[in-house]
């Protein structure tokens, strides 16, 4: 008997030999894991019918749901006679995303729901334990809190003054800001390019500059010089070394404004000292920038003194410390509180407190959106924190993404004035409700956080307490932009203990977390009152053992803590985050802990093999995703970028949905993408875009296509057709844009191509046209899923036409594709554009063999590299690439100690040197897209139907891997594929969740087995 038939028969015999419990003996299934809008017991859901899901729990085989009944009520006691919705008995096997169809939901209302189902034998389960969801505001008028803030602009003493500074232009130029206010002001630049000169500028709203002239200087700016600038009314006078070089009258900025310094790109300078004296003779600043100086907390003070300014830096004198707010609330005597909720949002990032303790467990709320269009609000249960009598509500407010530095584009991109809105709703047992919103009865005072920035870090002075209370200021309302947050918040998800390691620098103390992570540190420290500890973060160490920070570019990634006492004190920054493995302190710590942060989507997979290298790669992929899924899917968490690059998530999405619960998170991000879509239908390359600064380019191939691929991926992983409906019009506009902007249906490649490929370029139009075909086919499939047959036909025809154009342009008669690059073949095979699989498959294999079985793909080929090798029958090469340890490979990175996936294949070169500091992240998930093959092919679990209603379990063992244990939490429950190969043969243990079926495809078998839910073992003897 042929081997494949023998294996199939033996497997079938093994299946049939296992006992099947009879209906009478098997216990009835139970209903559990109830979720609303893909979340567990959410607080503050948005308007619209919620979507309800549940799972069946049963160890029996063949368990299905044939009917269900859902009840929704405003209290648990009403579930027997629900006052919101009773679905009645519905004949359906649907248990995912059942849409609520009851009475209109009311704002700020808690709802309880339960479900029961009937199995295939007609037995009803007991009612599930109740789950809950709560509405928040359903329209702007439901929100009562006003928007409040604190004075942050400089006072009148900063109107007329003289700036005295000794400066050195180290490279090209150094600028001095004065009369700076809300991001505008004057900037006088000392410039050494093509001769020394003074170049006065006016900085305008939005960050642009107007050059007022060029004044030649007869000095060597690379030497130290004394610069004096006096601004008196509209007259500005400038001296160099006591000689007046310029005087002019300007009326652009007559209001009070502070000083600062600026460089851009390669520019660099040192400010040795700074004195600012106002017209009244008061010294506003007087510093020689000695080591540890905190005049400019976001700046870098050199060890020997002097303020270093370099790269993309706008370094302003900070304003007042971050504001804190408070309001006293009294719970009436004799009233019993049954429910209390706090709702809040901000232009900036905030943290709430109640009676001195933090409210909730969220971090960096409200997260990043385009604040001009949407600001997320959060809801918190504070019932247990309220006490009878007097209570004190509190809040702190930082700049965050709203007014702080965003990427490399500076600060104040959405506004210059932070604002907070909040409301406490207290419901009593007598049915009455009190609402206490933010207004001018709230008070504000400067707090202990002197400055905080997401990129640069936080400075905290423990000596400070809020005492200078004044009424809060009213800010313009942004309530019309408020929307309840729809995804999991950023939370602390883990703590890592650090160990002290040797530091080659006297006075510097190094600690190793053992894992490249994202979040902040927690430090137990002992010092003297007024002593400041400087805390720096880095992903790797230099070869000499010092902290490597050059790749952070303009991000300072530095925290400062000033002691209040000589007793042990604990500090954890709250208004910043860093990407790091190593921490350097200027004083020894009693303890250092890594506080891991990220959007709190549950980990949904388990994967382990006999290979320590493959296991480490899986860990690197997951840690990279955990760190970069922080409010938006970022490209890197460390340097001055941290943007939502569409190309990265485009290639990584299908891996992402295996490892973390990504449904709500990526659905939220798709709204960010729609908010950024251009009028012509094109998508940007980053979302959110940076206002008036950066969109990454519109319609870029492989980047903008995330607008179709990500919703398609969510549909495949979660069976979510709601994301298709909400995003459909946007996708159709985009695909129509592609068709109308691609003459002859050949699309250009855009700005990036196969990003960071290794000397193996792929023609841009080949890439662009392949992605257009992919988008058209995916949109056709999604149209079919929501019953839009006309568009299904329209976009299927577009796919067919694009495919024909692609073949005619890029496929030669001998099967060679394009430039014979690895990515060219990958895109062709992935999108079924290759007419002769055998011919082109051989050419593709040769692109790997001629590189001594190594890869050369960039971002746009990496996700399909191993899947296409399997598709053309060369899984042997896929397994070799997976387990390579020489450059370039995933194993090469691991050999250098990587604990997350790198941005470049050679972020560390084979000789141990670092690659280009301008773009060299050690935590960048794009190349982690190999995970999809690891889980879908090596472990063998994928969705045969969207949402895993039908599962494909088809492991493909290969050389070097003898054992794989994989589990995946699907919308229906856990799928398990656990296999091993021994001298006796191949063994596979599987678990198929209730209310699903599975296709089992065994190695070397030409037939499939179809099984119902349950656990099974398959054995294929050797021979």
């Amino acid at each position: 008997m042929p081997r494949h038939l023998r294996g199939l028969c033996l497997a079938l015999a093994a299946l049939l030999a296992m006992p099947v419990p009879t209906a009478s003996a098997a216990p009835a299934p139970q209903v559990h894991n109830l979720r609303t809008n893909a979340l567990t017991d959410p607080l503050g859901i948005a308007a619209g019918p919620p979507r309800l899901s549940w799972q069946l729990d049963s160890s029996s085989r063949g368990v299905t749901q044939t009917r269900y009944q859902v009840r929704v009520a405003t209290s648990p006691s009403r579930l027997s006679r629900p006052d919101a919705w009773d679905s009645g008995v519905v004949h359906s096997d649907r248990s995912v995303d059942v849409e609520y169809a009851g009475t209109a939901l009311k704002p700020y209302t808690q709802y309880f729901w339960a479900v029961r189902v009937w199995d295939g034998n007609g037995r009803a389960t007991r009612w599930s334990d109740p789950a809950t969801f709560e509405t928040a505001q359903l329209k702007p008028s439901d929100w009562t809190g006003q928007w409040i803030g604190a004075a942050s602009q400089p006072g009148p003493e900063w109107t007329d003054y003289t700036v005295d500074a000794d400066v050195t232009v180290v490279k090209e130029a150094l600028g001095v800001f004065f009369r700076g206010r809300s991001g505008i002001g004057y900037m006088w630049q000392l410039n050494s390019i093509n001769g020394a000169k003074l170049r006065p500028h006016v900085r305008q709203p939005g960050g642009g500059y107007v050059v007022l002239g060029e004044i030649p200087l007869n000095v060597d700016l690379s030497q130290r010089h004394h610069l004096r600038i006096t601004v008196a009314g509209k007259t500005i006078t400038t001296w160099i070394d006591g000689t007046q070089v310029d005087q002019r009258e300007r009326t652009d900025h007559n209001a009070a404004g502070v000083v600062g310094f600026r460089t851009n790109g390669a520019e660099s300078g040192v400010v040795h000292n700074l004195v600012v004296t106002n017209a009244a003779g008061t010294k506003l600043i007087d510093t020689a920038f000695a080591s540890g100086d905190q005049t400019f907390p976001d700046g870098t003070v050199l060890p020997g003194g002097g303020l270093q300014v370099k790269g993309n830096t706008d370094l302003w004198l900070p304003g007042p410390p971050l504001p804190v707010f408070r309001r006293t609330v009294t719970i009436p005597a004799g009233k019993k509180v049954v429910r209390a909720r706090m709702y809040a949002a901000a232009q900036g990032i905030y943290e709430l407190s109640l009676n001195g303790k933090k409210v909730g467990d969220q971090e960096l709320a409200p997260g990043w959106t385009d604040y001009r269009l949407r600001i997320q609000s959060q809801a918190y249960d504070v019932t247990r924190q309220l006490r009878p009598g007097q209570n004190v509500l509190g809040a702190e407010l930082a700049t965050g993404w709203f007014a702080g530095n965003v990427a490399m584009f500076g600060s104040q991109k959405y506004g210059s004035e932070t604002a907070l809105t909040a409301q406490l709703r207290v419901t009593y047992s007598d049915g009455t409700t009190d609402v206490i919103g933010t207004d001018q009865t709230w008070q504000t005072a400067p707090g202990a956080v002197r400055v905080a920035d997401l990129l640069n870090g936080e400075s905290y002075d423990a000596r400070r307490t809020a005492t200078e209370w004044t009424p809060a200021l009213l800010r313009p309302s942004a309530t019309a932009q408020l929307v309840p947050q729809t995804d999991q918040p950023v939370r602390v998800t883990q703590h890592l203990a650090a160990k002290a390691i040797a530091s080659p620098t006297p006075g510097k103390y190094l600690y190793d977390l053992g894992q490249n992570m994202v979040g902040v540190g927690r430090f137990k420290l002992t010092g003297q009152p007024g002593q400041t500890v400087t805390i720096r973060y880095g992903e790797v160490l230099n070869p000499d053992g010092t902290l490597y920070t050059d790749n952070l570019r303009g991000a300072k990634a530095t925290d400062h803590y000033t002691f209040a006492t000589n007793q042990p004190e604990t500090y954890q920054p709250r208004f910043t985050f860093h990407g790091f493995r190593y921490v350097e302190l200027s004083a020894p710590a009693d303890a250092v802990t890594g506080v891991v942060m990220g959007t709190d989507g549950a980990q949904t997979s388990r994967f382990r093999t006999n290979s320590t290298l493959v296991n480490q790669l899986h860990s690197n992929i997951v840690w990279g995703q955990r760190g970069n899924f922080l409010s938006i899917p970022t490209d890197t968490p460390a340097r001055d970028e941290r943007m939502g690059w569409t190309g990265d998530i485009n290639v990584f999405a299908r891996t992402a949905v295996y490892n973390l619960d990504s449904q709500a998170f990526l659905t939220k991000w798709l709204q960010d993408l729609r908010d950024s879509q251009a009028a012509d239908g094109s998508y940007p390359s980053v979302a959110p875009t940076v206002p008036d600064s950066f969109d990454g380019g519109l319609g870029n191939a492989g980047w903008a296509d995330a607008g179709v691929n990500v919703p398609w991926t969510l549909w495949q992983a979660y069976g979510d057709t709601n994301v298709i409906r909400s995003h459909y019009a946007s996708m159709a506009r985009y695909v129509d844009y592609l068709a109308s902007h691609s003459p002859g249906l050949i699309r250009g490649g855009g700005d990036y191509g196969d990003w960071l490929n290794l000397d193996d370029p792929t023609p841009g139009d080949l890439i662009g046209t392949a992605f257009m075909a992919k988008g058209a086919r995916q949109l056709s499939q999604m149209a079919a899923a929501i019953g839009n047959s006309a568009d299904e036909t329209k976009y299927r025809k577009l796919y067919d036409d694009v495919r024909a154009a692609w073949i005619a342009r890029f496929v030669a008669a001998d099967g060679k594709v394009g430039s014979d690059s690895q990515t060219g073949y990958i895109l062709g095979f992935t999108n079924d554009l290759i007419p002769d699989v055998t011919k082109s498959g051989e050419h593709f294999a040769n692109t790997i063999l001629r590189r001594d079985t190594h890869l050369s793909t960039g971002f746009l080929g990496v996700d399909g590299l191993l899947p296409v090798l399997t598709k053309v029958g060369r899984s042997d090469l896929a397994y070799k690439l997976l387990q390579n340890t020489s450059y370039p490979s995933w194993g090469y990175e691991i050999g250098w100690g990587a604990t997350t996936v790198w941005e470049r294949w050679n972020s560390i070169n084979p000789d141990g040197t670092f690659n280009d500091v301008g773009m060299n992240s050690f935590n960048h998930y794009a190349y982690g897209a190999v995970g999809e093959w690891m889980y879908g092919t090596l472990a063998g679990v994928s969705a045969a139907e969207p949402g895993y209603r039908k599962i494909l379990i088809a492991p493909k063992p290969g050389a070097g891997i003898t054992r794989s244990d994989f589990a995946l939490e699907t919308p229906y429950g856990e799928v398990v594929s656990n296999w091993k190969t021994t001298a006796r043969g191949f063994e596979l243990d599987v678990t198929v969740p209730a209310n699903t079926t599975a296709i089992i495809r065994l190695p070397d078998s030409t037939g499939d087995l179809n099984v119902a839910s349950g656990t099974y073992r398959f054995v294929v003897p050797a021979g």
Side-chain angles (χ1 to χ4, degrees), residues 153-154 161 177-186 255-259 316:
Q153 297 299 339
Y161 49 81
F177 288 121
F178 56 96
R179 275 198 184 161
R181 183 186 186 98
S182 301
I184 61 175
Y186 296 111
V258 297
V259 299
W316 295 94

Side-chain angles (χ1 to χ4, degrees), residues 211-423:
V211 180
L212 303 179
E214 291 191 355
I215 298 91
L217 302 175
N218 189 26
V219 296
D220 180 0
L221 291 176
S222 67
Q223 302 298 310
R224 180 168 173 166
H225 295 280
H226 183 78
L227 171 68
R228 168 174 282 190
I229 303 170
T230 295
V231 55
K234 61 184 179 180
T235 303
I236 306 171
T237 309
T238 308
W239 293 263
I240 300 288
D241 297 331
T243 300
Q244 181 177 318
V245 296
D246 184 61
Q247 186 175 73
R248 63 186 63 233
E249 293 191 353
R250 300 294 304 183
T251 58
D252 308 85
H253 304 299
N254 288 336
V258 297
V259 299
F261 303 97
R262 181 182 193 270
T263 54
N264 184 63
E267 297 169 0
S268 175
V270 175
V271 184
H272 303 281
N273 51 54
L274 175 67
V275 178
V276 179
T277 308
N278 70 10
T282 302
K283 287 187 177 181
L284 305 175
I285 301 175
D286 186 357
T287 178
F289 294 114
S291 178
D293 183 273
Q294 286 288 288
T295 306
F296 292 86
D298 286 347
T300 300
V301 176
L302 297 171
L307 180 68
Q308 182 184 62
V309 187
K310 69 175 184 178
N312 297 322
T313 299
D314 285 357
L315 188 61
W316 295 94
L317 184 74
L322 299 190
V324 297
F325 301 87
R326 73 178 184 186
R327 161 74 193 270
T328 299
V329 175
T330 300
I331 300 300
K335 283 209 169 191
K336 180 181 179 181
V337 175
V338 296
R339 186 169 65 252
R341 302 289 187 261
M342 279 287 289
Y343 302 88
Q347 292 172 322
I349 54 177
Y350 71 89
E351 184 174 289
L352 301 177
S353 65
L354 178 53
N355 297 322
K357 294 185 177 181
K358 180 179 176 179
V359 167
D361 57 4
Q362 302 198 18
E363 306 289 339
L364 307 176
W368 190 5
T369 55
D370 187 334
Y371 302 102
R372 301 168 301 178
L373 303 176
R374 288 184 306 118
I375 303 172
Q376 298 182 128
S377 64
Q378 290 72 44
Y380 306 89
D381 183 352
V382 294
T383 308
R384 294 179 180 272
Q385 283 183 259
L386 273 180
R387 59 195 182 201
Q390 191 175 88
N391 295 264
V392 179
L393 305 178
E396 291 182 74
L397 184 60
T399 56
W401 293 275
F402 181 82
N405 284 294
V406 175
M408 64 288 279
F409 304 107
S411 61
Q412 302 181 357
K413 292 301 172 183
Y414 297 95
S416 59
E417 301 282 5
T418 57
L420 170 77
T421 184
Q423 52 189 22

Side-chain angles (χ1 to χ4, degrees), residues 628-942:
N628 281 292
F629 274 29
L630 193 152
S631 187
I632 65 166
T634 62
D635 59 328
T636 170
R639 67 175 179 243
D640 58 344
E641 196 160 340
R642 312 186 193 184
M643 291 189 290
W645 281 97
T646 52
D648 300 55
I649 192 60
N650 190 33
V651 299
F652 187 72
R654 295 186 71 180
T655 293
V657 294
Y658 274 105
N659 284 325
L660 297 181
D661 180 1
S662 304
Q663 184 177 5
F665 173 77
L666 288 178
T667 299
K668 175 267 180 188
W669 179 77
L670 285 172
Q671 180 65 63
D672 295 329
L673 187 62
R674 290 197 296 276
D675 289 344
S676 304
Q677 189 172 19
D680 64 3
S682 58
Y683 289 121
S685 297
V686 296
T689 58
V690 183
D692 302 317
S693 297
F694 191 73
D695 59 18
L698 297 172
N700 279 315
W703 267 252
D705 303 286
V708 180
N709 185 50
V710 170
W712 182 89
T713 299
L714 293 176
W715 169 50
Q716 292 293 305
Y718 303 108
D720 185 358
T721 55
N722 186 70
V723 72
I724 298 176
R725 291 184 174 89
S726 61
H727 197 63
Y728 190 83
S730 175
M731 290 189 289
R733 287 175 56 215
Y734 174 67
V735 174
D736 291 346
Y737 157 84
L738 293 181
S740 65
H741 286 73
S742 302
L745 295 182
I746 299 296
R747 175 192 178 192
D751 298 329
Y752 305 115
D754 188 25
W755 190 248
L756 296 181
N757 71 84
L758 298 174
D759 298 318
D760 193 15
T762 303
D765 52 357
L766 183 155
I767 293 171
T769 308
F771 274 102
M772 179 164 61
K774 179 177 184 175
R777 182 165 65 168
Q778 288 179 328
L779 186 54
S780 173
Q781 294 168 350
M782 287 187 280
I786 61 173
N788 189 337
S789 57
D791 276 6
E792 175 191 6
T793 301
K794 171 185 173 180
Y795 292 113
R796 178 67 201 199
K797 182 179 186 304
L798 178 60
Y799 166 78
D800 292 338
D801 293 344
V802 174
R803 180 177 186 271
W806 194 89
I807 292 171
R809 174 69 68 90
F810 302 113
V811 182
D814 64 355
K816 280 191 176 181
V817 172
S819 58
D820 201 31
S821 67
Q822 289 182 10
T823 294
Y825 291 101
I826 291 166
L827 295 178
F829 278 110
T830 298
N831 298 297
D832 294 321
L833 306 177
I834 303 294
D836 190 323
V837 172
T838 301
K839 286 183 180 180
S840 296
E842 291 175 356
H843 287 302
F844 175 46
N846 286 335
T847 67
I848 293 170
L849 294 171
R850 69 184 179 225
R851 290 178 176 263
D852 194 24
T853 316
H854 282 79
L855 55 81
S856 61
T857 63
F859 277 29
L860 298 186
V862 68
D863 58 331
L865 175 62
L866 303 194
V868 169
L869 283 171
T870 295
K871 188 172 188 174
V872 301
R874 295 306 306 266
S875 286
D876 59 322
L877 293 181
Y879 271 92
K880 288 180 180 178
L881 292 180
L882 179 71
Q883 298 170 87
N884 273 346
T885 57
S886 54
Y887 172 76
S889 66
W890 295 278
Y892 169 81
E893 300 177 12
I894 292 168
W896 278 103
T899 58
T900 46
V901 177
W902 294 352
E903 179 174 18
R904 297 174 176 268
W905 296 115
N906 54 350
S907 286
I908 299 177
N909 294 310
D911 64 2
T913 59
F914 296 115
N915 215 308
D916 178 13
V917 298
M919 192 179 66
N920 197 24
S921 167
F922 292 90
N923 189 352
H924 212 100
Y925 56 58
Y927 286 145
V930 65
E932 180 196 353
W933 183 88
M934 293 162 57
Y935 316 134
T937 301
L938 188 159
V941 175
S942 60

